mmCIF file with all atom_site columns, all heavy atoms in Angstrom:
data_model
loop_
_atom_site.group_PDB
_atom_site.id
_atom_site.type_symbol
_atom_site.label_atom_id
_atom_site.label_alt_id
_atom_site.label_comp_id
_atom_site.label_asym_id
_atom_site.label_entity_id
_atom_site.label_seq_id
_atom_site.pdbx_PDB_ins_code
_atom_site.Cartn_x
_atom_site.Cartn_y
_atom_site.Cartn_z
_atom_site.occupancy
_atom_site.B_iso_or_equiv
_atom_site.pdbx_formal_charge
_atom_site.auth_seq_id
_atom_site.auth_comp_id
_atom_site.auth_asym_id
_atom_site.auth_atom_id
_atom_site.pdbx_PDB_model_num
ATOM 1  N N   . MET A 1 1  ? 0.848   -1.206 0.000  1.00 0.00 ? 1  MET A N   1
ATOM 2  C CA  . MET A 1 1  ? 0.000   0.000  0.000  1.00 0.00 ? 1  MET A CA  1
ATOM 3  C C   . MET A 1 1  ? 0.876   1.246  0.000  1.00 0.00 ? 1  MET A C   1
ATOM 4  O O   . MET A 1 1  ? 1.845   1.329  0.747  1.00 0.00 ? 1  MET A O   1
ATOM 5  C CB  . MET A 1 1  ? -0.891  -0.042 1.252  1.00 0.00 ? 1  MET A CB  1
ATOM 6  C CG  . MET A 1 1  ? -1.838  1.114  1.386  1.00 0.00 ? 1  MET A CG  1
ATOM 7  S SD  . MET A 1 1  ? -3.289  0.994  0.328  1.00 0.00 ? 1  MET A SD  1
ATOM 8  C CE  . MET A 1 1  ? -4.381  0.027  1.352  1.00 0.00 ? 1  MET A CE  1
ATOM 9  N N   . ILE A 1 2  ? 0.524   2.190  -0.856 1.00 0.00 ? 2  ILE A N   1
ATOM 10 C CA  . ILE A 1 2  ? 1.258   3.462  -0.940 1.00 0.00 ? 2  ILE A CA  1
ATOM 11 C C   . ILE A 1 2  ? 1.054   4.260  0.346  1.00 0.00 ? 2  ILE A C   1
ATOM 12 O O   . ILE A 1 2  ? -0.061  4.378  0.844  1.00 0.00 ? 2  ILE A O   1
ATOM 13 C CB  . ILE A 1 2  ? 0.729   4.274  -2.151 1.00 0.00 ? 2  ILE A CB  1
ATOM 14 C CG1 . ILE A 1 2  ? 1.098   3.598  -3.461 1.00 0.00 ? 2  ILE A CG1 1
ATOM 15 C CG2 . ILE A 1 2  ? 1.191   5.718  -2.108 1.00 0.00 ? 2  ILE A CG2 1
ATOM 16 C CD1 . ILE A 1 2  ? 2.566   3.671  -3.818 1.00 0.00 ? 2  ILE A CD1 1
ATOM 17 N N   . ARG A 1 3  ? 2.158   4.805  0.847  1.00 0.00 ? 3  ARG A N   1
ATOM 18 C CA  . ARG A 1 3  ? 2.103   5.522  2.128  1.00 0.00 ? 3  ARG A CA  1
ATOM 19 C C   . ARG A 1 3  ? 2.290   7.027  1.908  1.00 0.00 ? 3  ARG A C   1
ATOM 20 O O   . ARG A 1 3  ? 3.322   7.451  1.389  1.00 0.00 ? 3  ARG A O   1
ATOM 21 C CB  . ARG A 1 3  ? 3.187   4.951  3.060  1.00 0.00 ? 3  ARG A CB  1
ATOM 22 C CG  . ARG A 1 3  ? 2.934   3.474  3.354  1.00 0.00 ? 3  ARG A CG  1
ATOM 23 C CD  . ARG A 1 3  ? 4.135   2.821  3.983  1.00 0.00 ? 3  ARG A CD  1
ATOM 24 N NE  . ARG A 1 3  ? 4.392   3.272  5.343  1.00 0.00 ? 3  ARG A NE  1
ATOM 25 C CZ  . ARG A 1 3  ? 3.759   2.860  6.419  1.00 0.00 ? 3  ARG A CZ  1
ATOM 26 N NH1 . ARG A 1 3  ? 2.777   1.979  6.313  1.00 0.00 ? 3  ARG A NH1 1
ATOM 27 N NH2 . ARG A 1 3  ? 4.084   3.326  7.616  1.00 0.00 ? 3  ARG A NH2 1
ATOM 28 N N   . LEU A 1 4  ? 1.257   7.782  2.301  1.00 0.00 ? 4  LEU A N   1
ATOM 29 C CA  . LEU A 1 4  ? 1.291   9.238  2.128  1.00 0.00 ? 4  LEU A CA  1
ATOM 30 C C   . LEU A 1 4  ? 1.502   9.937  3.470  1.00 0.00 ? 4  LEU A C   1
ATOM 31 O O   . LEU A 1 4  ? 1.028   9.467  4.504  1.00 0.00 ? 4  LEU A O   1
ATOM 32 C CB  . LEU A 1 4  ? -0.044  9.742  1.557  1.00 0.00 ? 4  LEU A CB  1
ATOM 33 C CG  . LEU A 1 4  ? -0.562  9.129  0.256  1.00 0.00 ? 4  LEU A CG  1
ATOM 34 C CD1 . LEU A 1 4  ? -1.931  9.715  -0.093 1.00 0.00 ? 4  LEU A CD1 1
ATOM 35 C CD2 . LEU A 1 4  ? 0.427   9.360  -0.881 1.00 0.00 ? 4  LEU A CD2 1
ATOM 36 N N   . ALA A 1 5  ? 2.197   11.089 3.406  1.00 0.00 ? 5  ALA A N   1
ATOM 37 C CA  . ALA A 1 5  ? 2.235   12.013 4.542  1.00 0.00 ? 5  ALA A CA  1
ATOM 38 C C   . ALA A 1 5  ? 1.597   13.304 4.067  1.00 0.00 ? 5  ALA A C   1
ATOM 39 O O   . ALA A 1 5  ? 1.786   13.699 2.913  1.00 0.00 ? 5  ALA A O   1
ATOM 40 C CB  . ALA A 1 5  ? 3.672   12.269 4.974  1.00 0.00 ? 5  ALA A CB  1
ATOM 41 N N   . VAL A 1 6  ? 0.817   13.951 4.929  1.00 0.00 ? 6  VAL A N   1
ATOM 42 C CA  . VAL A 1 6  ? 0.203   15.228 4.574  1.00 0.00 ? 6  VAL A CA  1
ATOM 43 C C   . VAL A 1 6  ? 0.699   16.275 5.562  1.00 0.00 ? 6  VAL A C   1
ATOM 44 O O   . VAL A 1 6  ? 0.695   16.065 6.775  1.00 0.00 ? 6  VAL A O   1
ATOM 45 C CB  . VAL A 1 6  ? -1.340  15.147 4.612  1.00 0.00 ? 6  VAL A CB  1
ATOM 46 C CG1 . VAL A 1 6  ? -1.957  16.489 4.239  1.00 0.00 ? 6  VAL A CG1 1
ATOM 47 C CG2 . VAL A 1 6  ? -1.849  14.057 3.668  1.00 0.00 ? 6  VAL A CG2 1
ATOM 48 N N   . LEU A 1 7  ? 1.152   17.409 5.006  1.00 0.00 ? 7  LEU A N   1
ATOM 49 C CA  . LEU A 1 7  ? 1.622   18.524 5.839  1.00 0.00 ? 7  LEU A CA  1
ATOM 50 C C   . LEU A 1 7  ? 0.725   19.732 5.570  1.00 0.00 ? 7  LEU A C   1
ATOM 51 O O   . LEU A 1 7  ? 0.521   20.113 4.410  1.00 0.00 ? 7  LEU A O   1
ATOM 52 C CB  . LEU A 1 7  ? 3.067   18.918 5.472  1.00 0.00 ? 7  LEU A CB  1
ATOM 53 C CG  . LEU A 1 7  ? 4.216   18.159 6.156  1.00 0.00 ? 7  LEU A CG  1
ATOM 54 C CD1 . LEU A 1 7  ? 4.168   16.682 5.855  1.00 0.00 ? 7  LEU A CD1 1
ATOM 55 C CD2 . LEU A 1 7  ? 5.550   18.746 5.737  1.00 0.00 ? 7  LEU A CD2 1
ATOM 56 N N   . GLY A 1 8  ? 0.196   20.326 6.628  1.00 0.00 ? 8  GLY A N   1
ATOM 57 C CA  . GLY A 1 8  ? -0.670  21.493 6.451  1.00 0.00 ? 8  GLY A CA  1
ATOM 58 C C   . GLY A 1 8  ? -0.578  22.437 7.623  1.00 0.00 ? 8  GLY A C   1
ATOM 59 O O   . GLY A 1 8  ? -0.118  22.052 8.702  1.00 0.00 ? 8  GLY A O   1
ATOM 60 N N   . SER A 1 9  ? -1.050  23.650 7.397  1.00 0.00 ? 9  SER A N   1
ATOM 61 C CA  . SER A 1 9  ? -0.977  24.662 8.450  1.00 0.00 ? 9  SER A CA  1
ATOM 62 C C   . SER A 1 9  ? -2.357  25.143 8.889  1.00 0.00 ? 9  SER A C   1
ATOM 63 O O   . SER A 1 9  ? -2.458  25.940 9.819  1.00 0.00 ? 9  SER A O   1
ATOM 64 C CB  . SER A 1 9  ? -0.201  25.889 7.957  1.00 0.00 ? 9  SER A CB  1
ATOM 65 O OG  . SER A 1 9  ? 1.067   25.535 7.452  1.00 0.00 ? 9  SER A OG  1
ATOM 66 N N   . GLY A 1 10 ? -3.412  24.721 8.180  1.00 0.00 ? 10 GLY A N   1
ATOM 67 C CA  . GLY A 1 10 ? -4.713  25.345 8.437  1.00 0.00 ? 10 GLY A CA  1
ATOM 68 C C   . GLY A 1 10 ? -5.838  24.347 8.593  1.00 0.00 ? 10 GLY A C   1
ATOM 69 O O   . GLY A 1 10 ? -5.694  23.299 9.231  1.00 0.00 ? 10 GLY A O   1
ATOM 70 N N   . SER A 1 11 ? -6.929  24.655 7.919  1.00 0.00 ? 11 SER A N   1
ATOM 71 C CA  . SER A 1 11 ? -8.168  23.893 8.113  1.00 0.00 ? 11 SER A CA  1
ATOM 72 C C   . SER A 1 11 ? -8.073  22.439 7.623  1.00 0.00 ? 11 SER A C   1
ATOM 73 O O   . SER A 1 11 ? -8.740  21.556 8.158  1.00 0.00 ? 11 SER A O   1
ATOM 74 C CB  . SER A 1 11 ? -9.294  24.636 7.392  1.00 0.00 ? 11 SER A CB  1
ATOM 75 O OG  . SER A 1 11 ? -10.073 23.746 6.666  1.00 0.00 ? 11 SER A OG  1
ATOM 76 N N   . GLY A 1 12 ? -7.283  22.222 6.597  1.00 0.00 ? 12 GLY A N   1
ATOM 77 C CA  . GLY A 1 12 ? -7.078  20.847 6.142  1.00 0.00 ? 12 GLY A CA  1
ATOM 78 C C   . GLY A 1 12 ? -8.188  20.316 5.268  1.00 0.00 ? 12 GLY A C   1
ATOM 79 O O   . GLY A 1 12 ? -8.375  19.103 5.156  1.00 0.00 ? 12 GLY A O   1
#
Side-chain angles (χ1 to χ4, degrees):
M1 181 78 86
I2 292 289
R3 298 167 70 79
L4 305 177
V6 180
L7 274 60
S9 306
S11 135

